[in-house]
């Protein structure tokens, strides 16, 4: 596991963008896994800049998002589908046909989750998966206690995650209770992982992820077992690390 400690959020995001751009340039028909939330926003701005000013070409890139709220249609402003189009996809030249999300409105969720897994497989697997981390150590919506071998499925969001995500909704009661999420096992199948964290609220989860024992109580700790995992954090998120990196 490679751990990079950057001075601040901007430097963290630039380093992450360099890694994503390297993948896109070396494998123009590669498969990228995307995350939503506050953490990757500056990374996405930097990718947009690279597309607009350096010709970074996404036209043959296939994408898979980690998760989606159950019950929100794609056009809902708080859906992850909407988030990705607003914050990245509509500003770069991704081909709509190659963009994948779990469907929050799927009728048969179980069948849909199986379909999603198959699509990832058919695309040849995810080359580089971008990840954020919850203060409680979740990755995607794999909350503490999730099976470390889990695949794409429906999960109940914990109270702390619903509270953390309430900032994006007008009223906290509107935060959905369920999400469809790639499983921990699905994420671990990606060829490379890029986990980002910024701010002191993530310091404990980052210390556990990089230095703690592997445990389902903090699903992100499984990243230690990945062969090509890179963790990029800012100084605040690195505050509780005790080893030298
Ligand atoms: C989002 C996702 C979540 C977030 C995590 C951190 O697709 O999978 O695991 O990465 O909740 O969210 P932020 O970045 O908002 O702190």
């Amino acid at each position: 596991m490679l751990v990079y400690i950057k001075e601040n959020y901007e430097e963290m995001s630039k380093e992450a963008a360099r890694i994503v751009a390297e993948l896109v340039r070396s494998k123009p028909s590669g498969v990228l896994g995307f995350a939503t939330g506050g953490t990757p926003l500056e990374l996405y701005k930097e990718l947009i800049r690279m597309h607009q000013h350096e010709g970074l070409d996404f036209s043959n890139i296939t994408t898979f998002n980690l998760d989606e709220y159950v019950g929100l249609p794609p056009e809902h402003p708080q859906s992850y589908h909407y988030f990705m189009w607003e914050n990245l996809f509509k500003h770069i030249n991704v081909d709509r046909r190659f963009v994948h999300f779990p469907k929050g409105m799927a009728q048969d969720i179980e069948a849909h989750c199986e379909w999603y897994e198959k699509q990832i497989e058919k695309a040849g697997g995810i080359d580089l998966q971008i990840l954020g981390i919850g203060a409680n150590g979740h990755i995607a919506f794999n909350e503490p206690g999730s099976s470390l071998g889990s695949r794409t499925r429906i999960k109940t969001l914990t109270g702390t995650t619903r509270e953390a995500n309430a900032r994006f909704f007008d009223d906290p009661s509107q935060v959905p209770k369920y999400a469809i999420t790639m499983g921990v096992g699905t994420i671990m199948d990606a060829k490379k992982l890029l986990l980002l964290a910024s701010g002191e609220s993530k310091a404990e989860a980052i210390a556990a992820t990089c230095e703690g024992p592997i445990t389902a109580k903090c699903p992100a700790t499984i990243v230690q077992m990945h062969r090509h995992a890179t963790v990029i954090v800012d100084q605040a998120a690195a505050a509780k690390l005790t080893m030298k990196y």
Side-chain angles (χ1 to χ4, degrees):
M1 179 193 243
L2 282 171
V3 180
Y4 295 117
I5 302 172
K6 294 288 167 186
E7 196 51 39
N8 52 40
Y9 176 64
E10 283 67 34
E11 292 303 314
M12 177 205 79
S13 306
K14 280 199 182 122
E15 183 65 27
R18 267 194 291 277
I19 292 173
V20 176
E22 197 179 285
L23 189 280
V24 173
R25 288 196 191 100
S26 65
K27 192 171 177 189
S29 60
V31 181
L32 287 178
F34 283 105
T36 58
T39 308
L41 278 175
E42 194 61 36
L43 154 65
Y44 295 163
K45 279 195 191 137
E46 182 62 11
L47 291 178
I48 294 167
R49 192 197 62 75
M50 287 170 150
H51 168 67
Q52 290 173 347
H53 300 285
E54 295 171 14
L56 190 64
D57 179 15
F58 292 87
S59 60
N60 278 309
I61 291 288
T62 295
T63 78
F64 287 93
N65 260 77
L66 283 171
D67 39 19
E68 180 60 285
Y69 288 119
V70 168
L72 298 193
E75 62 280 5
H76 191 289
Q78 269 73 42
S79 76
Y80 285 172
H81 189 283
Y82 188 92
F83 175 101
M84 285 308 300
W85 280 99
E86 282 305 302
N87 291 297
L88 181 62
F89 294 159
K90 79 174 187 191
H91 307 285
I92 60 176
N93 63 338
V94 280
D95 185 327
R96 251 170 208 281
R97 290 171 305 166
F98 304 153
V99 172
H100 302 83
F101 288 92
K103 287 190 179 59
M105 298 300 281
Q107 291 296 309
D108 183 341
I109 291 182
E110 211 173 301
H112 176 66
C113 292
E114 252 176 63
W115 175 86
Y116 202 65
E117 289 274 335
K118 287 239 168 65
Q119 297 312 300
I120 296 174
E121 204 183 301
K122 260 173 63 181
I126 294 170
D127 290 301
L128 177 66
Q129 176 64 57
I130 298 160
L131 295 170
I133 182 171
N136 64 3
H138 71 222
I139 43 174
F141 275 131
N142 296 285
E143 298 283 24
S146 294
S147 157
L148 298 180
S150 52
R151 312 302 306 184
T152 303
R153 69 215 183 292
I154 185 169
K155 285 293 285 177
T156 308
L157 306 185
T158 60
T160 49
T161 297
R162 292 184 68 226
E163 267 165 39
N165 291 4
R167 67 191 195 273
F168 300 112
F169 290 79
D170 294 336
D171 179 335
S173 69
Q174 291 171 351
V175 184
K177 293 193 175 64
Y178 305 99
I180 296 175
T181 178
M182 278 188 206
V184 181
T186 320
I187 292 168
M188 288 295 284
D189 282 351
K191 289 163 198 137
K192 290 183 179 164
L193 300 181
L194 178 58
L195 189 149
L196 308 177
S198 159
E200 62 179 336
S201 67
K202 305 293 173 69
E204 220 155 281
I206 284 298
T209 299
C210 300
E211 300 177 353
I214 296 169
T215 168
K217 282 187 186 166
C218 180
T221 56
I222 193 68
V223 167
Q224 290 174 28
M225 296 292 286
H226 198 280
R227 284 176 173 214
H228 298 287
T230 303
V231 176
I232 312 178
V233 295
D234 63 9
Q235 292 283 358
K240 294 196 171 154
L241 291 172
T242 60
M243 297 189 328
K244 288 248 174 288
Y245 293 96

